[in-house]
Amino acid sequence: MKIFIDTANLDMIKEINSWGILDGVTTNPSLIAKEGTDTPTRVKEIAAIVDVPISAEAMSLKAEDMIKEGRELAAIHPNINVKLPMCIDSLKATKVLSSEGIDVNMTLIFSAQQALLAAKAGARYVSPFVGRLDDIGAYGTDLLGQIVTVFSNYGFRAEVIAASIRGPIHVLEAATLGCDIATIPYNVLLQMVSHPKTDEGIQNFIKDYEKSKKK
Ligand code: G3P
């Protein structure tokens, strides 16, 4: 499974890239706003520090405007793909942008039917939001499994990005269900590294090493 980081923070991207595990970056308007910048500026900065796919969200609401904005975002750097929110205009824009070789990440996916339409329109990625479904008392993980099954039944080339990840369990569920990608917040990536038994084991090895040195 590919690991993307879900952030627009440059230090976090640099740090995770230094771990040797980074396959991509996803941003959204809320993450960009948190950094006090704008999408074109920030994705250009990200593209200058990592050589991986980067999602940049278009904010237009009409298909023709989305197409124009999508072309402008994609022109910033070859690694940039265009994030569009699931709706009819986005389907129309996806058809055009994908036919021009511009990758689209269809975001705000909350049903397998939406993912099916996005894939048929030519989206390169679909982003089901697991955590936000959990937030409303649904079981977000079910959606991941449904989309993976539908895409595999018909051989759609679109990649499933498990998004709105809230903890390591979501990552594990995405991986066991066969999602192509999980886009993971920085704090969850840190949580994935740790295990109390690992920490305990390291401390014990250090203690024994120090003891054996004294002999
Ligand atoms: O980037 C899209 C998605 O991952 C957002 O997650 O935590 O705002 O629901 P969240």
Side-chain angles (χ1 to χ4, degrees):
M1 184 175 68
K2 287 183 257 186
I3 291 185
F4 287 13
I5 185 168
D6 196 28
T7 187
N9 181 282
L10 296 178
D11 290 334
M12 290 177 183
I13 293 167
K14 274 187 214 153
E15 171 62 16
I16 299 305
N17 191 43
S18 77
W19 294 7
I21 55 116
L22 188 69
D23 299 307
V25 179
T26 52
T27 68
N28 65 36
S30 310
L31 295 170
I32 295 278
K34 244 167 71 180
E35 300 300 317
T37 181
D38 60 81
T39 295
T41 306
R42 185 45 56 104
V43 293
K44 193 174 178 185
E45 290 166 339
I46 297 171
I49 57 171
V50 286
D51 184 18
V52 294
I54 301 155
S55 287
E57 193 149 343
M59 296 311 295
S60 306
L61 297 175
K62 290 279 157 224
E64 63 194 74
D65 301 329
M66 287 173 176
I67 293 164
K68 186 172 172 291
E69 193 182 348
R71 285 175 183 149
E72 285 165 5
L73 287 169
I76 293 171
H77 192 278
N79 281 347
I80 289 174
N81 58 76
V82 179
K83 232 181 180 186
L84 297 175
M86 179 64 200
C87 64
I88 292 170
D89 282 89
S90 290
L91 291 173
K92 293 177 186 174
T94 297
K95 182 78 194 158
V96 174
L97 291 170
S98 65
S99 73
E100 295 175 6
I102 296 172
D103 287 339
V104 171
N105 174 358
M106 194 72 89
T107 189
L108 288 165
I109 294 283
F110 288 94
S111 77
Q113 298 90 317
Q114 291 178 322
L116 173 63
L117 294 174
K120 284 193 73 77
R124 166 73 193 269
Y125 307 103
V126 297
S127 291
F129 277 32
V130 184
R132 291 195 198 181
L133 277 172
D134 289 358
D135 289 345
I136 58 163
Y139 183 46
T141 303
D142 278 349
L143 175 60
L144 299 180
Q146 289 164 0
I147 298 173
V148 168
T149 302
V150 170
F151 284 11
S152 131
N153 283 350
Y154 298 101
F156 285 119
R157 74 174 188 111
E159 294 183 74
V160 181
I161 304 183
S164 187
I165 296 278
R166 299 287 161 74
I169 291 292
H170 278 158
V171 180
L172 176 62
E173 288 171 331
T176 53
L177 286 164
C179 289
D180 304 281
I181 301 159
T183 188
I184 309 173
Y186 182 74
N187 68 312
V188 176
L189 286 161
L190 292 180
Q191 289 171 347
M192 286 166 64
V193 176
S194 301
H195 194 286
K197 293 303 284 179
T198 305
D199 298 341
E200 180 191 285
I202 291 172
Q203 287 315 313
N204 287 339
F205 284 150
I206 291 171
K207 256 190 257 156
D208 290 342
Y209 171 69
E210 293 299 336
K211 264 192 253 164
S212 68
K213 269 204 318 192
K214 284 178 194 140
K215 280 183 190 160

